[in-house]
């Protein structure tokens, strides 16, 4: 009877030991699969024009980094479940931590590029750009410093993977460097998003008075940008709560892992929205061009086949067809500080 009770206790302890790693595997696998599917959709809807944009290439880089995080997290957690007494090498374990802590800087920088849509480098004075970007630049530098200090302290706390795992609780609970990093991340994102949305609202009101048909597209940009900020903000607040109240690092680390994927997925949805509309626009233009040539050959072309389903407004004496791509070109001519808002949502 005593042996049965001892076996049950051993099994319960083993399950409790591998449960956090099992949760990491489930979360990483599900999020990585979703991200890979979105990557395929993004590539399918992209056009030659969109693939040449720097923002599109940065989004692909962000997806690759997030997928690498999923692979490293799966290797580390899977090894701990299958063979807990022979875990992965220290370099792989540290690499998994690096890919969990540092990539949010990349994701936040990609979202920061939305400001270049409102303040293009080619038309905005250098002094204005410095005033706008000096705060997020300084905050990101400070985030790199505190993350590097934390990682250095944690790596020096043990020379083996087992030692580093055992030191997780001591290095995690109420760590001032990690709390400072997540607090600065909230401040960084709050500044960039609020500044972008405020200026977008001003420009939208000006454009709406000139062309009411553009307002719906601007409203969609507004909602997508707000969603890209709200969901990571909720996870950041939850991470700070858990790191200050829970000595166990597992729940906070799981939130950190999921938050990485949530941020990337938000960026991808914004890019998918634009790429999808651009893909539809390019196919509409191709089909209408073919129809125009057909009507011309049959002697029935009157030029009506060249008008797509987009909104048409009258500027000056000539009609202009507006969509997410050419809206920015018209806006840049009418409002000198307005750039290509469709390029980065």
């Amino acid at each position: 009877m005593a042996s049965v009770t001892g076996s049950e206790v051993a099994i319960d302890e083993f399950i409790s030991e591998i449960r956090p790693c099992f949760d990491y595997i489930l979360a990483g696998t599900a999020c990585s699969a979703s991200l890979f599917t979105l990557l395929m959709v993004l590539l399918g809807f992209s056009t030659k024009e969109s693939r040449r944009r720097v923002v599109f290439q940065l989004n692909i880089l962000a997806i690759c980094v997030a997928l690498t995080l999923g692979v490293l997290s799966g290797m580390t957690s899977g090894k701990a479940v299958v063979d807990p007494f022979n875990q992965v090498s220290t370099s792989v374990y540290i690499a998994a931590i690096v890919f969990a802590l540092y990539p949010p800087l990349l994701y936040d920088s990609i979202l920061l590029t939305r400001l270049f849509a409102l303040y293009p480098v080619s038309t905005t004075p250098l002094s204005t750009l410095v005033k706008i970007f000096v705060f997020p630049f300084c905050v990101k530098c400070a985030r790199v410093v505190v993350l590097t200090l934390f990682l250095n302290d944690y790596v020096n706390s043990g020379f083996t993977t087992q030692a580093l795992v055992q030191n997780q609780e001591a290095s995690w609970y109420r760590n001032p460097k990690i709390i400072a990093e997540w607090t600065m991340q909230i401040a960084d994102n709050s500044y960039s998003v609020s500044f972008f949305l405020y200026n977008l609202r001003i420009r939208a009101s000006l454009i709406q008075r000139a062309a009411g048909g553009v307002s719906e597209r601007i409203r969609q940009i507004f909602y997508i940008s707000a969603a890209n900020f709200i969901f990571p903000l909720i996870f950041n607040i939850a991470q700070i709560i858990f790191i200050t109240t829970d000595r166990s690092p597992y729940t906070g680390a799981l939130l950190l892992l999921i938050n990485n994927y949530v941020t990337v997925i938000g960026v991808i949805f914004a890019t998918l929205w634009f790429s999808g509309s651009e893909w539809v626009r390019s196919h509409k233009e191709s089909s209408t061009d073919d129809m125009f040539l057909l009507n011309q050959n049959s002697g029935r072309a009157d030029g009506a086949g060249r008008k797509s389903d987009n909104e048409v407004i009258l500027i000056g004496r000539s009609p202009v067809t507006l969509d997410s791509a050419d809206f920015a070109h018209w806006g840049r001519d009418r409002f000198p500080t307005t750039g290509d808002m469709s390029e980065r949502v």
Side-chain angles (χ1 to χ4, degrees), residues 14 37 62 107 111 123 130 168 199 231 285 308 324:
F14 176 74
T37 303
Y107 310 149
L111 293 176
T123 59
V130 171
Q168 279 184 350
N199 284 273
F231 291 109
E285 290 177 350
S308 64
S324 61

Side-chain angles (χ1 to χ4, degrees), residues 36-332:
F36 184 78
T37 303
L38 290 176
L39 174 61
M40 295 297 103
V41 176
L42 177 62
L43 294 176
F45 278 117
S46 63
T47 61
K48 291 182 179 180
E49 181 183 353
S50 64
R51 285 193 291 268
R52 286 195 297 265
R53 292 190 173 96
V54 177
V55 174
F56 182 88
Q57 297 169 5
L58 289 176
N59 288 333
I60 298 298
L61 175 61
I63 295 175
C64 294
V65 170
L67 292 177
T68 304
L69 170 62
V71 172
L72 293 174
S73 176
M75 289 176 55
T76 304
S77 303
K79 189 69 172 178
V81 172
V82 176
D83 191 3
F85 299 104
N86 186 22
Q87 299 190 21
V88 296
S89 62
T90 306
S91 59
V92 174
Y93 182 78
I94 295 175
I97 297 176
V98 170
F99 272 86
L101 294 177
Y102 283 92
L105 288 165
L106 171 63
Y107 310 149
D108 298 340
S109 299
I110 295 176
L111 293 176
L112 184 64
T113 57
R114 290 174 300 186
L115 295 179
F116 287 112
L118 299 174
Y119 298 93
V121 178
S122 58
T123 59
T124 306
L126 180 60
S127 58
T128 303
L129 291 176
V130 171
K131 293 176 183 178
I132 294 173
F133 291 98
V134 64
F135 176 76
F137 177 77
C138 294
V139 171
K140 285 178 173 55
C141 291
R143 291 172 61 185
V144 172
V145 170
V146 296
L147 284 176
T148 304
L149 292 175
F150 165 77
L151 187 63
N152 181 69
D153 294 341
Y154 182 63
V155 171
N156 292 332
S157 64
F159 298 100
T160 63
T161 303
Q162 187 66 28
L164 292 175
V165 172
Q166 293 176 353
N167 292 332
Q168 279 184 350
E169 183 175 325
S171 301
W172 168 268
Y173 183 62
R174 294 183 178 179
N175 189 292
K177 299 180 181 65
I178 295 298
I179 296 176
E181 144 65 12
W182 291 340
T183 304
M184 287 189 290
Q185 184 178 6
I186 293 176
D188 189 6
N189 292 338
S190 299
Y191 170 82
S192 61
V193 172
S194 60
F195 194 85
F196 173 79
L197 294 181
Y198 173 75
N199 284 273
L200 180 65
R201 187 178 182 85
I202 294 176
R203 308 297 174 85
S205 62
L206 295 175
I207 296 174
Q208 187 174 2
R209 287 197 292 267
V214 187
S215 60
E216 181 62 27
R217 194 175 297 275
I218 299 297
R219 192 178 300 110
Q220 292 174 354
I221 297 175
F222 186 92
Y223 290 150
I224 292 175
S225 301
N228 286 345
F229 167 70
I230 292 175
F231 291 109
L233 174 66
I234 294 174
F235 277 92
N236 279 338
I237 295 175
Q239 290 168 195
I240 294 176
I241 292 175
F242 275 99
I243 197 175
T244 55
T245 59
D246 189 2
R247 289 186 175 274
S248 175
Y250 299 122
T251 303
L254 182 61
L255 290 175
L256 176 62
L257 177 66
I258 297 176
N259 193 16
N260 275 274
Y261 288 102
V262 169
T263 305
V264 177
I265 289 175
V267 174
I268 298 308
F269 271 127
T271 307
L272 276 175
W273 174 81
F274 170 67
S275 297
S277 62
E278 191 175 57
W279 183 85
V280 172
R281 177 177 62 87
S282 63
H283 280 67
K284 280 185 177 181
E285 290 177 350
S286 176
S287 61
T288 53
D289 287 342
D290 294 340
M291 182 63 67
F292 179 81
L293 292 175
L294 179 62
N295 292 337
Q296 188 179 42
N297 293 333
S298 61
R300 293 180 288 104
D302 58 359
R306 285 195 178 273
K307 188 176 73 172
S308 64
D309 294 335
N310 298 313
E311 300 86 350
V312 178
I313 66 171
L314 187 66
I315 301 177
R317 296 182 179 178
S318 60
V320 178
T321 303
L322 289 181
D323 58 12
S324 61
D326 53 16
F327 153 72
H329 299 292
W330 170 78
R332 186 161 51 243

